[in-house]
Structures are given as C-alpha cells and as structure tokens.
Amino acid sequence: MRDWKLSVFNKLDSTNNEALRRLSSSDKSGEVILAYRQTMGKGRAGREWVSCYGNLMMTATIQIEERQRMSDLAFVGAVAVAEAVNELLPHESRAEIKWPNDLMVGNRKLGGLLIEVSSRPSIAALGIGLNLKNAPKSDNFQAVCLLDFDVSIKPIQMSKHIAQKLGVWIERWNLFGFTPVIDQWKVWGKGIGEVVRVRTAEQTIVEGKFIDIDKEGRMLLELSNGRSMTISAGDVLFE
C-alpha cells in the first residue's frame, strides 16, 4: 500500500499535462491529480478525450523500478481500474478490459488509460478517464457511464477508490513481477477465445482468434490459415 498525495483542480488543460509539468521540476512520484474539467483531454494515439463534467479525469505519477517495463504499467493500471469498477457494478454487469487498457461494459466504452513518460525517465504519468455520470457521444464508439447502472459516485470518491487499488496492484507488481498482473488481466480480458478484428499500428486490419496475451502483454492471434501473429500495438474493433 502507498500514501498518495491528492491535488484537486476545478479546471486543467489535462491532468497528464499537469503531472508532467510538476515532474519537470521534481522527482517525487506518488501524486494523484484530479480535475473536474479538462480543456485538452488526451487519449491514446493522439486522439482527443472528451471530458464531460461529472466524469473522472485523474493522473497518478508512478515510479518504475529498474527491472520493470514501462509498458507493463498499462496492464497494472487497467487491472486496478477494472477491479475498482467491478466492486461498484451490479452483479449482472461486468467491466472488461479491451486490449490493452480500455474499459468496456458489453461493447460500450466506459473508460481508458494513457501513459506518458516524464522528463524523469523512471516516473510515468498514468492518466485515467472514466465515465461516471455522462457517456460522451462519439463517431468512433458507443459509450456508457456508471450512472447507467444506477451507480452514483463523485469523481473525488472514485479517484480515492482507484488510487487504493493502484497501490495494491503496484505493490504486487513490485513484489511478484508481471505474472499476477497478466493472470488477472486475462480474467477480465475482453474477447479472449473469440475471433476479433485488429487495426494494427500500420493501419492494416487483421482478423483472427484472440488466443492469449504473452508475458510481455502482446496480443497473440491465430489466423485463418493456421499461422499465429503477435501484435504489440493496435486497436481491437468490436462492432
């Protein structure tokens, strides 16, 4: 477990930007930055993150140990957030993790994570966006929020709940390595064992059976010709 320092803002350009600004003049990690409004919310691959008032916009600054991979943090964070959300959702609903770190309920997006490396190479800014009260409209996906399931929680309460789970999973990662993180990711991983379509980093679409993720978090697909394919980065496409 860890003690997080919580800083709350009425408005920021983005919580990740604020974290990176702070880390440019300090090497202290263990801070949670929460904003009630964002004017320049960021998603993966340079996309905009629609930041609706009442939803969660937070960033945690996390020290990465020398033996750890920065990319592993995406899975640590996703598992922590999924666990926090699933403790709140009714039993008939379940949040799943769309590879590598989007939160879904059914085929609707509940949230996502964005990792950015600071000027201190061993400290990461882990941004977390979660739809608590509003499900933003998008041409790219359908969204859902916790209030759709009669779960009403304020951003500051949710930030503390997630920070507690992050502390637990970071400690497990530090003590036992990446294996328990991967094992739990697979419990909540969306589409494992199913045929999925993936847009790769090269913007090509491949289709295959999602058979596993490996010890480095890469997606393993079995193609229709029987060959296997390993994908390091991309977007899984669910209709």
Side-chain angles (χ1 to χ4, degrees), residues 82-167:
E83 184 171 82
V85 167
N86 280 325
E87 287 185 358
L88 300 175
L89 285 173
H91 292 303
E92 65 272 14
S93 303
R94 187 176 79 148
E96 297 177 296
I97 308 169
K98 187 183 83 163
W99 182 85
N101 57 6
D102 278 343
L103 273 291
M104 310 283 288
V105 180
N107 284 342
R108 296 187 292 172
K109 186 170 179 175
L110 181 67
L113 286 75
L114 174 67
I115 296 170
E116 294 188 282
V117 182
S118 74
S119 55
R120 317 278 171 172
S122 62
I123 303 178
L126 173 64
I128 299 168
L130 201 63
N131 300 331
L132 306 182
K133 187 178 180 181
N134 298 289
K137 304 294 184 185
S138 172
D139 294 332
N140 301 316
F141 57 83
Q142 287 186 306
V144 68
C145 66
L146 287 183
L147 195 58
D148 291 333
F149 303 96
D150 296 322
V151 176
S152 179
I153 186 168
K154 296 182 183 300
I156 194 164
Q157 295 171 313
M158 195 69 200
S159 70
K160 292 177 179 178
H161 186 40
I162 288 176
Q164 189 269 333
K165 297 298 182 184
L166 266 177

Side-chain angles (χ1 to χ4, degrees), residues 137-215:
K137 304 294 184 185
S138 172
D139 294 332
N140 301 316
F141 57 83
Q142 287 186 306
V144 68
C145 66
L146 287 183
L147 195 58
D148 291 333
F149 303 96
D150 296 322
V151 176
S152 179
I153 186 168
K154 296 182 183 300
I156 194 164
Q157 295 171 313
M158 195 69 200
S159 70
K160 292 177 179 178
H161 186 40
I162 288 176
Q164 189 269 333
K165 297 298 182 184
L166 266 177
V168 170
W169 280 101
I170 290 169
E171 185 174 32
R172 287 177 184 159
W173 184 34
N174 290 340
L175 291 175
F176 306 112
F178 196 42
T179 299
V181 177
I182 286 290
D183 289 345
Q184 187 59 49
W185 192 101
K186 291 178 184 179
V187 172
W188 289 320
K190 181 173 177 58
I192 295 180
E194 301 174 7
V195 174
V196 299
R197 295 166 64 240
V198 183
R199 182 188 296 113
T200 69
E202 294 75 32
Q203 299 301 307
T204 58
I205 304 292
V206 296
E207 183 174 287
K209 186 177 181 181
F210 182 6
I211 54 175
D212 206 353
I213 58 173
D214 67 14
K215 62 183 180 180

Side-chain angles (χ1 to χ4, degrees), residues 4-15 18-19 22 31-38 53 55-59 154-160:
W4 298 94
K5 178 188 174 184
L6 176 63
S7 297
V8 182
F9 295 84
N10 283 325
K11 185 169 73 172
L12 286 172
D13 51 355
S14 88
T15 56
E18 177 63 19
R22 292 178 175 220
E31 185 167 20
V32 170
I33 296 165
L34 173 70
Y36 290 115
R37 295 184 187 276
Q38 281 189 144
Y53 183 76
N55 289 348
L56 179 72
M57 296 152 256
M58 67 174 276
T59 296
K154 296 182 183 300
I156 194 164
Q157 295 171 313
M158 195 69 200
S159 70
K160 292 177 179 178

